Amino acid sequence: MRYEEFALVGRDLFASGLISSHGGNLSVRMGDRVLITRRGAMLAHLTDEDIIETGLHKNDSGVALASSEIIVHRAIYRQTNALAVVHAHPLCAVTLSLYQDTLVPVDSEGSYLLHQVPVVAAAMTIGSEEVASLVAPVLASYRVVVVRGHGSFAVGQFLEEAWQWTSALEASCQILYRVKLLGQPIKEYRQQSENYHTW
Amino acid sequence: MYGWHRKILVVDLTSGTFQEEALPGEVAHTWLGGRGLGTYWLYHHLEQGIDPLGADNHLVFAAGPLAGTRAPASGRVSASTKSPLTGTVFDSNAGGAFGVRLKSCGYEALVVTGRSASPVYLKVSPGTVSLEPAEALWGQDTRAAHRHLAGAGGPGSSVVCIGPAGENLVRFASVAVDGRRSLGRGGLGAVMGAKGLKGIVARGNMPTAIADPEGAGFVCYEMEKVLKANPVTSQALPEFGTAVLVNLLNQAGAWPAGNFRQSSFSGAEAISGEALAGSLMEKRFACYRCPIGCGRLTRTSRDRGEGPEYESIWALGANLGVEDLQVIAEANYLCNRLGLDTISTGGTLACAAELGLEADFGRPGVLLDLIEKIAFRRGVGDELAEGSRRLAEKYGRPELAMQVKGLELPAYDPRGLKGQGLAYATSNRGGCHLRANMLGPEILGTPKRVNRFAWAGKAGLVIVMQHTSAVLDSLVMCKFTSFALGDEHYARLLTRVTGEEYRPQDLQVIGERVWNLERLFNLREGFARADDTLPPRLTSTPVSDGPGRGQIVELEPMLGEYYRFREWDEHGRPTPAKLARLGLTEVGSGGDAV
């Protein structure tokens, strides 16, 4: 395996239920090249052949095999200093994105790591210029963003880091979802939590 | 004018005159302060090829936009010049409170030019600047000079000063800050000495205006929370100081010894952070508004003082075969008193030992005697005072100087941290660990752990670290905060303090811009790809045993990847497209631009 981290993160994404059997995609930046998972690859079972190399600024034959979200990944790399991107379809985060413009965690880990997660909305949600133009600028300021009704894009210097933000996002949203179901105001335990929406 | 006072004080020592220059808002926004502002100033004011020890050189002391706020570890000072050791643009950065005191006088930066006919010191307060005679101080060590200048400045003042090494133009002379910290590297002390400037005293009371005090308070609260939660910043550094790294690096087989002939040191345990804490340690101390508090005050049977820090323990210990912590501590005190960079002192002595000039540093008195000879340029000390590169070249063995661009390497063997090797080779100020903190991912696992022996893919990571380092040095915040904090913390605080929007990504671009302007400065001075290199020992002699057995630094493939990632050509020159994206086109073509 050339890039073991792809296999590790892909397996964990599926095992955690954050993607369906053929959903999600991963990439890393190597200078002016991008390594990205193959279109339709099963992230839980990645092999060497599932890692596709293509250009960051220019297309080449590799793009024929690359994930359909390559356009979003490229935009993120062009507009941020990210070296890795994880795209997933976390169930609770996607559910809440249908109701809210921003996701503000109430749990300790989410508060600590994320503070708040913006939600962006596009009509064409998959592999579109529209998503690319919305997501990339937000990731210049935040670690992770949710595309309404679709999924999350997280950035890091390593795949593991972007995976961590994705995992923390869904954990926070699971708790937010339950809090909403219970319908009672929470007993606040944090200081300055009223400022989280300004993060 | 939130965040910045927008004024620079320029002092011409030749004429003994002062003038205030406006700091344009766009320059402040683009270059922030500290290293960024210093690099910008030097690029535009220094002629190519000037003598670093001549009157034409400038020395820029600069604070950052967060100085004077609640920001943690933000009282530091950055000083930039053309280095007499490396010939490159060179900034050094030190703790203490000089940065915030200078800023509270109403100045973002103090630029010293010219050369005084007789020794002087500079006294700065809001609306009052004076040059005072310093003949009586000339020859005094930094302790005595600090006492005198702090007394002259009064309570609440901050002092930078040089010792005999700076006066005697030792090429790696340091500048003492507030009696406890140092602008250690690159010979800034010699630049002050050449100008006849013994010291500077700053004392002021002008507050830093904050655009959104409540928002800034919230971000500071979050920053302090994260610093307290991270074990590196809340436990390891406070409890053991920087010397906590001794055992970690030695066990990793990445702690060089004997001028990098070995990659671990059998006497490490006896000179470790744990040993220091259990023997010489008196108490901790912290710099201005620092919640970490990594400083150590220590005592031996004959002396007391600050440190020794991790790098000094290595340079004056493992690198010279000394395993007596008392000897190391006293050598460290002496370097600090005389105003010498401990890393370059140790690196030069290790080179001298391999050249056969000196040896047996562990014998009582030998090491201290040699340090004195260097500071006063007595006997063999006159040759050593030139640094390891010039010394080794003089004896026809340039490969024995463990340096990059003339700056002696610090305490990490890059054969065990490949990314650190690339960081050394590409550093704009020469062999330095502070330009890109690869210790984090390659040893400490911050923010995530990577394979330290792998070289593929390291270029991108080194570049991000170089940009982060340039930003922190331009904000003039302590790099240790970045073990816990990220760009988003710094960007959000900067936005709330200045009222000008900075996204985390914007900070990375600022770091990249600073890095490229430094590169342009060095290219103008004649540096080229051939200077982005390492001593041949590190690229061709495998580690003989331990965890890194058989390892060398695969520099060439990493360097190719690095240039491509940076969008530099094969000669290491930024491409026109890159300069255009960074807004440096006119600068790169010799013109003027923000």
Side-chain angles (χ1 to χ4, degrees):
Chain A
M1 186 76 198
R2 273 192 309 169
Y3 298 100
E4 292 177 357
E5 206 180 356
F6 277 86
L8 290 172
V9 172
R11 186 197 62 200
D12 285 356
L13 270 170
F14 179 74
S16 307
L18 272 65
I19 51 171
S20 56
S21 62
H22 292 68
N25 35 77
L26 315 171
S27 73
V28 299
R29 178 181 173 178
M30 306 279 277
D32 56 357
R33 309 292 290 168
V34 175
L35 302 178
I36 189 165
T37 47
R38 179 187 292 270
R39 189 171 62 257
M42 293 189 289
L43 296 198
H45 302 281
L46 291 174
T47 65
D48 268 359
E49 289 69 36
D50 291 314
I51 312 301
I52 307 302
E53 180 173 340
T54 187
L56 171 56
H57 303 289
K58 289 180 187 167
N59 259 335
D60 55 26
S61 58
V63 80
L65 304 175
S67 162
S68 51
E69 299 286 10
I70 179 71
I71 188 172
V72 185
H73 290 248
R74 280 178 174 157
I76 293 169
Y77 290 131
R78 285 188 199 125
Q79 294 183 45
T80 75
N81 264 64
L83 296 177
V85 173
V86 168
H87 171 53
H89 302 150
L91 294 179
C92 264
V94 172
T95 304
L96 293 176
S97 77
L98 297 167
Y99 296 91
Q100 298 176 202
D101 294 327
T102 180
L103 306 172
V104 180
V106 293
D107 65 299
S108 169
E109 183 188 63
S111 303
Y112 183 89
L113 295 176
L114 303 174
H115 293 87
Q116 72 159 336
V117 177
V119 174
V120 298
M124 300 283 288
T125 57
I126 296 178
S128 72
E129 287 275 10
E130 187 183 9
V131 170
S133 68
L134 290 169
V135 161
V138 174
L139 289 174
S141 292
Y142 295 88
R143 295 166 163 175
V144 58
V145 59
V146 178
V147 180
R148 177 163 291 148
H150 177 193
S152 58
F153 285 90
V155 292
Q157 292 169 31
F158 319 87
L159 278 174
E160 182 188 338
E161 200 176 20
W163 160 223
Q164 182 182 6
W165 312 144
T166 308
S167 177
L169 164 70
E170 179 60 3
S172 291
C173 288
Q174 292 272 1
I175 292 167
L176 272 178
Y177 178 69
R178 285 165 172 76
V179 167
K180 283 184 179 296
L181 280 182
L182 291 170
Q184 300 290 322
I186 64 166
K187 291 184 185 298
E188 186 54 77
Y189 61 97
R190 303 163 294 178
Q191 287 180 13
Q192 305 211 28
S193 60
E194 68 280 8
N195 289 316
Y196 278 40
H197 70 280
T198 67
W199 190 253
Chain B
M1 292 197 293
Y2 299 113
W4 295 278
H5 289 305
R6 306 267 167 88
K7 277 197 297 189
I8 296 174
L9 175 64
V10 183
V11 176
D12 181 349
L13 292 174
T14 304
S15 61
T17 57
F18 323 106
Q19 68 178 64
E20 288 182 355
E21 285 198 15
L23 172 62
E26 202 175 347
V27 173
H29 182 85
T30 305
W31 300 97
L32 297 181
R35 175 176 163 187
L37 184 56
T39 303
Y40 175 82
W41 180 277
L42 295 172
Y43 190 89
H44 289 90
H45 288 84
L46 293 193
E47 293 289 328
Q48 184 268 331
I50 60 136
D51 176 4
L53 297 176
D56 294 337
N57 199 5
H58 291 200
L59 182 57
V60 184
F61 293 90
L66 301 177
T69 73
R70 264 186 57 195
S74 59
R76 304 171 65 83
V77 65
S78 166
S80 301
T81 194
K82 180 179 175 182
S83 163
L85 185 63
T86 65
T88 65
V89 65
F90 204 108
D91 71 287
S92 192
N93 197 291
F98 191 80
V100 69
R101 301 295 177 234
L102 174 65
K103 184 155 180 165
S104 66
C105 294
Y107 301 111
E108 289 306 315
L110 160 65
V111 180
V112 182
T113 71
R115 173 187 279 158
S116 175
S118 59
V120 291
Y121 75 88
L122 181 64
K123 208 169 163 186
V124 185
S125 58
T128 309
V129 183
S130 63
L131 281 171
E132 308 289 341
E135 282 94 345
L137 298 176
W138 209 251
Q140 286 190 4
D141 70 20
T142 59
R143 279 188 196 172
H146 171 81
R147 268 198 305 274
H148 182 95
L149 294 175
S157 62
S158 181
V159 172
V160 296
C161 65
I162 61 170
E167 297 168 10
N168 293 316
L169 309 185
V170 176
R171 287 187 188 271
F172 46 90
S174 60
V175 179
V177 180
D178 290 334
R180 288 181 173 176
R181 293 303 196 189
S182 293
L183 294 160
R185 309 225 67 193
L188 276 60
V191 176
M192 280 180 69
K195 293 187 176 304
L197 183 63
K198 181 69 179 180
I200 308 171
V201 191
R203 181 189 182 192
N205 54 8
M206 294 177 66
T208 299
I210 300 173
D212 174 8
E214 194 178 327
F218 166 56
V219 179
C220 285
Y221 170 80
E222 289 294 311
M223 293 167 102
E224 286 157 13
K225 195 171 81 179
V226 173
L227 287 166
K228 279 181 193 156
N230 186 297
V232 175
T233 49
S234 65
Q235 295 176 55
L237 284 169
E239 193 169 341
F240 299 113
T242 54
V244 71
L245 293 173
V246 169
N247 279 335
L248 292 178
L249 269 294
N250 198 54
Q251 285 156 11
W255 212 46
N259 206 30
F260 287 76
R261 279 173 287 184
Q262 298 90 40
S263 296
S264 60
F265 182 54
S266 58
E269 186 68 43
I271 59 176
S272 64
E274 292 87 331
L276 184 69
S279 56
L280 309 183
M281 172 91 167
E282 278 197 321
K283 63 175 182 177
R284 303 167 49 199
F285 72 88
C287 296
Y288 179 85
R289 288 208 70 85
C290 176
I292 302 172
C294 69
R296 318 279 89 180
L297 291 175
T298 56
R299 175 193 284 274
T300 68
S301 55
R302 286 179 297 192
D303 204 354
R304 61 193 301 198
E306 188 279 333
E309 301 284 341
Y310 164 74
E311 303 290 347
S312 308
I313 288 177
W314 167 78
L316 302 170
N319 205 29
L320 302 179
V322 178
E323 48 187 273
D324 183 331
L325 200 48
Q326 292 239 8
V327 172
I328 296 168
E330 287 174 6
N332 170 70
Y333 301 150
L334 186 59
C335 284
N336 290 342
R337 281 212 311 272
L338 298 174
L340 284 168
D341 172 23
T342 53
I343 300 177
S344 286
T345 300
T348 303
L349 286 171
C351 176
E354 199 167 353
L355 285 168
L357 298 178
E358 298 292 341
D360 206 5
F361 298 109
R363 205 152 49 84
V366 171
L367 184 54
L368 300 184
D369 181 53
L370 278 167
I371 290 169
E372 287 226 5
K373 282 180 175 163
I374 292 172
F376 292 96
R377 284 185 174 271
R378 288 191 201 120
V380 70
D382 193 40
E383 289 180 343
L384 300 178
E386 293 292 295
S388 66
R389 180 176 64 179
R390 289 173 173 85
L391 179 73
E393 282 172 353
K394 181 173 181 181
Y395 285 87
R397 300 291 306 277
E399 74 280 7
L400 298 185
M402 295 296 115
Q403 52 78 33
V404 172
K405 299 184 180 81
L407 188 68
E408 286 72 20
L409 292 176
Y412 311 90
D413 190 325
R415 290 169 292 191
L417 299 81
K418 303 293 175 74
Q420 193 66 58
L422 179 64
Y424 286 162
T426 57
S427 161
N428 285 330
R429 75 173 196 177
C432 171
H433 57 297
L434 294 169
R435 305 284 97 172
N437 172 29
M438 291 303 290
L439 173 72
E442 293 193 319
I443 294 288
L444 299 177
T446 54
K448 293 286 178 284
R449 192 161 188 192
V450 298
N451 180 353
R452 60 193 175 96
F453 296 119
W455 63 264
K458 287 284 172 70
L461 198 51
V462 166
I463 288 168
V464 169
M465 296 293 179
Q466 287 176 335
H467 296 169
T468 299
S469 163
V471 168
L472 288 168
D473 288 340
S474 302
L475 290 170
V476 200
M477 286 188 73
C478 179
K479 289 191 175 76
F480 288 171
T481 62
S482 69
F483 284 126
L485 304 175
D487 284 345
E488 60 176 338
H489 295 100
Y490 304 118
R492 283 170 171 81
L493 181 57
L494 188 59
T495 298
R496 285 154 177 80
V497 167
T498 64
E500 300 177 18
E501 188 182 353
Y502 289 93
R503 303 170 304 167
Q505 176 58 29
D506 297 329
L507 294 190
Q508 286 289 319
V509 174
I510 288 170
E512 185 173 17
R513 192 179 290 118
V514 171
W515 194 270
N516 276 271
L517 188 61
E518 290 173 341
R519 183 73 178 185
L520 291 173
F521 183 104
N522 289 346
L523 290 169
R524 190 171 72 181
E525 294 293 326
F527 287 86
R529 178 178 178 132
D531 299 297
D532 292 339
T533 190
L534 291 170
R537 176 168 290 163
L538 304 178
T539 55
S540 58
T541 305
V543 173
S544 59
D545 55 15
R549 183 185 169 89
Q551 297 286 340
I552 57 167
V553 183
E554 296 88 346
L555 182 61
E556 276 306 307
M558 281 198 288
L559 199 57
E561 192 179 61
Y562 177 91
Y563 283 0
R564 204 178 71 173
F565 211 127
R566 277 215 172 276
E567 296 177 72
W568 292 356
D569 66 18
E570 68 273 25
H571 304 294
R573 295 180 300 221
T575 59
K578 170 54 67 180
L579 293 179
R581 270 195 292 284
L582 294 172
L584 293 174
T585 298
E586 291 178 60
V587 177
S589 60
D592 203 358
V594 167

